[in-house]
Amino acid sequence: MKILVTVKRVEDPEIKIKLKPDGSGIEAADMKYVVNPFDEIAVEEALRLRDQAGGEVVVACLGPQEANAQLRTTLAMGADRGVHVVVAGACDPSMAARTLAKVIGDEKPDLVLLGKQAIDDDAGQVGARVAEHLGWGQVTFASKEASLESAAEKEKKPAFSLQQGKLEVVREVDGGIETLRVQLPAVVTTELRLNTPRYASLPGIMKAKKKEIKELSLAGLALDDRIEVKVLQMAAPAGRQGGAKVADVAALLDKLRHEAKVL
């Protein structure tokens, strides 16, 4: 079974984001970048499926040359090889989706996994757009059904069930969960509660240095760099104001009703 996982290079959520004085973007000089956490979960699920059913895990990334480091991280986790489409400029969901769809079409995997959203823009569009470009079925927000298994029993056990060319996936919905079966090939986006990604071991890090990363360009894929969404300006959110004291319950209710407008 061949599984392709897409990953995105994002700003480390533990680092304080600083904006440029003109609001045109963020200060990247001291910024640390990591693999999008939702995509790490997708990589983990792909590795568990491969270990159970056999095959290979290919990781694809669309981003600047520096994103090679994030690809190496996923290879150190256990992925077999990487594909890096180098894009130096801006990239929106439409461009990302059609580029990744081209890579997927060339690789011809049985299953495509990706995080439900990236934590930098929270757009959550790429998975659905990729499935539309490919004409494949899709399952979004894949999660794991609650069980009485211990942590040790659930460790390294895939959440997805594969039988006779169909993938069974549990997903979260309002008020509960539902189980879906989708015919392969298919696209699945992963939720936070699907699994806990493994750490890259030292042997894994050493092996990752020798694993293949195929480098591609938009020109080589016969694709353009047209984008539909442009960021015009960024601004920090307004600072929080301190609380206020009230004389009695009546004054509190008045503030909640007329100032906060929550009543």
Side-chain angles (χ1 to χ4, degrees), residues 64-77:
Q65 191 69 55
E66 293 80 5
N68 187 279
Q70 283 67 52
L71 268 177
R72 290 291 177 193
T73 297
T74 63
L75 295 179
M77 289 174 66

Side-chain angles (χ1 to χ4, degrees), residues 37-38 40-48 77 113 142-144 154 156-160 190-198:
F38 289 98
E40 276 190 314
I41 291 167
V43 172
E44 175 63 30
E45 188 63 24
L47 296 175
R48 296 184 186 191
M77 289 174 66
L113 298 179
S143 188
K144 193 167 186 178
K154 289 190 289 187
K156 297 185 179 180
K157 182 179 178 182
F160 302 160
T190 57
E191 176 64 271
L192 279 178
R193 285 163 289 282
L194 181 64
N195 60 48
T196 302
R198 69 193 68 184

Side-chain angles (χ1 to χ4, degrees), residues 90 98 107 117 133 156 164 185 192-193 218 229 233 239 244:
R98 67 175 180 270
E107 288 287 339
Q117 66 192 68
H133 279 297
K156 297 185 179 180
Q164 298 179 343
L192 279 178
R193 285 163 289 282
L218 292 177
V229 179
Q233 189 174 24

